[in-house]
Amino acid sequence: MTNIVQLLGEEAEYLLKHLCAGIPKESLHLPGPDYVDRVVAMKDRKTGVLRSLQALYGQGRLANTGYLSLLPVDQGVEHSGGASFAPNPIYFDPENIVKLAIEGGCNGVASTLGVLGSVARRYAHKIPFVVKINHNEMLTYPNIYDQTIFASVDQAFDMGAVAVGATIFFGSEHSRRQIQEISDAFEHAHELGMATILWAYLRNPAFKTADKDFHVAADLTGQANHLAVTINADIVKQKMAENNGGYNAIKFGKTHPKVYSELTTDHPIDLVRYQVANCYMGRAGLINSGGESGKNDLQQAVRTAVINKRAGGMGLISGRKAFQKPMQDGVALLNAIQDVYLDKTVTVA
């Protein structure tokens, strides 16, 4: 097992001993082996959706814990194939993406229609597939920061996927259309018995000031999460909150003083707890993204996992930190993330 305390270093006590007071853990619907029976079964989802979610929760090293470790590799569209795969060219071949997810003990693999479809007959029955149906391709110049439908829900269903994923750029000029598109797509996915995962990202130049980037503010990302669950996302993928006060900084929208004086503090676990609260107190699971690859990837991945788990989140969806390394190192990083969720001494704050 990974030595979590050693990797956290000077932050170990700060992160492992913190208790959330503003939104106590007793108010949350926490992940657990019975999450589908206890939480999802209360919803209006068809039985096929329960089966699909249980397939995700029942796979990999985190099987039947209620936590998720997902490998997302859709960056070849938005970031370009070269930017994504030049550091490790074996991943130009989609089969190696799926192999990494399997050998890394992941619950599932999330990628494009093309990537997963190219190897579906060999692997769709071996690891749950999540087909990402829209993308912001960056060959259009200048970049318009929009999400375009690349795949249909029916195509995902036909290849045997258990879930569809999509992104909405909340706050962008195109967000209203994206909300309508993805709400319709999620409705159809549920009709077919598939689960739904929303990348609930913010995108607006006004959200970034000279002092801070409020695209990762707890209050703004929390509202994006709330909108995601409003259109029936079963799981919400969100960037980990790094600051707060976005509403007050951009002087737009509506908030309340108690969001900052009582419900949150500057502690990273409290900030992510607010993200969880906006996922209907955990009735939809919050998975945080792993972020870009860089220095100290292992330490950063474990830190993110600790914050997510202690905040009441459901897991991590980490891609570039894993696939931009030799496969053996990528597997080790994914396993380290999973070790956080397997370690019973890392409790919900």
Side-chain angles (χ1 to χ4, degrees):
M1 291 286 285
T2 302
N3 190 326
I4 296 169
V5 173
Q6 184 178 24
L7 282 172
L8 293 178
E10 295 179 355
E11 282 194 302
E13 185 171 353
Y14 176 66
L15 294 177
L16 294 174
K17 300 296 184 182
H18 178 73
L19 292 177
C20 295
I23 302 173
K25 64 181 179 181
E26 289 77 14
S27 62
L28 302 179
H29 302 277
L30 293 170
D34 61 342
Y35 185 81
V36 171
D37 292 332
R38 174 170 43 89
V39 179
V40 184
M42 294 178 63
K43 301 180 181 181
D44 62 353
R45 306 296 191 263
K46 291 190 173 183
T47 54
V49 178
L50 306 187
R51 184 179 64 245
S52 293
L53 281 170
Q54 193 61 56
L56 268 179
Y57 293 124
Q59 180 81 17
R61 294 184 70 230
L62 296 183
N64 303 315
T65 64
Y67 290 107
L68 296 173
S69 169
L70 300 177
L71 178 72
V73 188
D74 61 332
Q75 286 87 350
V77 178
E78 181 164 351
H79 299 277
S80 90
S84 300
F85 305 130
N88 198 0
I90 67 168
Y91 291 110
F92 275 109
D93 183 344
E95 185 170 18
N96 287 319
I97 293 172
V98 180
K99 283 182 176 178
L100 174 61
I102 293 173
E103 294 184 25
C106 293
N107 297 75
V109 56
S111 195
T112 66
L113 174 72
V115 164
L116 296 177
S118 68
V119 294
R121 290 189 179 275
R122 177 170 290 183
Y123 291 104
H125 57 296
K126 295 181 180 178
I127 185 170
F129 279 10
V130 179
V131 177
K132 185 78 164 23
I133 62 172
N134 70 350
H135 306 283
N136 176 31
E137 59 85 16
M138 290 181 67
L139 202 55
T140 299
Y141 182 82
N143 185 13
I144 58 174
Y145 296 104
D146 194 8
Q147 289 287 326
T148 301
I149 298 290
F150 270 61
S152 71
V153 172
D154 288 326
Q155 286 174 302
F157 177 77
D158 287 343
M159 79 161 67
V162 305
V164 295
T167 298
I168 293 176
F169 283 156
F170 292 105
S172 76
E173 61 181 308
H174 307 289
S175 63
R176 296 292 181 91
R177 191 206 78 247
Q178 293 168 19
I179 291 169
Q180 291 175 327
E181 287 177 349
I182 302 310
S183 179
D184 289 343
F186 280 7
E187 179 186 17
H188 187 41
H190 284 150
E191 288 174 350
L192 293 174
M194 289 188 289
T196 57
I197 304 176
L198 190 73
W199 280 238
Y201 286 170
L202 301 175
R203 194 72 87 246
N204 192 307
F207 294 171
K208 188 173 183 178
T209 69
D211 298 324
K212 288 183 181 179
D213 186 355
F214 291 103
H215 286 94
V216 288
D219 54 353
L220 295 182
T221 56
Q223 179 60 17
N225 290 358
H226 193 83
L227 295 175
V229 190
T230 301
I231 62 169
N232 275 348
D234 296 309
I235 297 166
V236 179
K237 177 190 177 187
Q238 184 58 266
K239 295 181 179 180
M240 180 162 282
E242 297 178 11
N243 56 55
N244 208 355
Y247 275 115
N248 297 325
I250 64 176
K251 296 178 172 55
F252 179 78
K254 297 182 183 295
T255 187
H256 194 283
K258 285 188 176 182
V259 171
Y260 315 100
S261 64
E262 296 184 18
L263 300 185
T264 65
T265 70
D266 290 335
H267 197 287
I269 295 174
D270 286 336
L271 297 179
V272 177
R273 173 65 57 86
Y274 190 71
Q275 291 182 324
V276 173
N278 276 277
C279 291
Y280 291 7
M281 288 295 192
R283 289 188 186 272
L286 172 70
I287 54 176
N288 286 122
S289 51
E292 297 181 11
S293 181
K295 295 182 179 179
N296 304 316
D297 276 348
L298 182 63
Q299 187 270 339
Q300 287 299 318
V302 168
R303 180 183 188 272
T304 304
V306 167
I307 294 170
N308 172 272
K309 182 181 182 183
R310 300 213 68 225
M314 188 166 278
L316 246 57
I317 180 164
S318 187
R320 281 170 285 178
K321 279 182 167 61
F323 72 76
Q324 290 187 338
K325 295 175 171 57
M327 186 172 289
Q328 181 178 350
D329 294 341
V331 168
L333 184 137
L334 292 169
N335 288 169
I337 290 170
Q338 295 150 10
D339 285 346
V340 172
Y341 295 96
L342 293 171
D343 192 331
K344 289 182 170 38
T345 67
V346 180
T347 58
V348 179

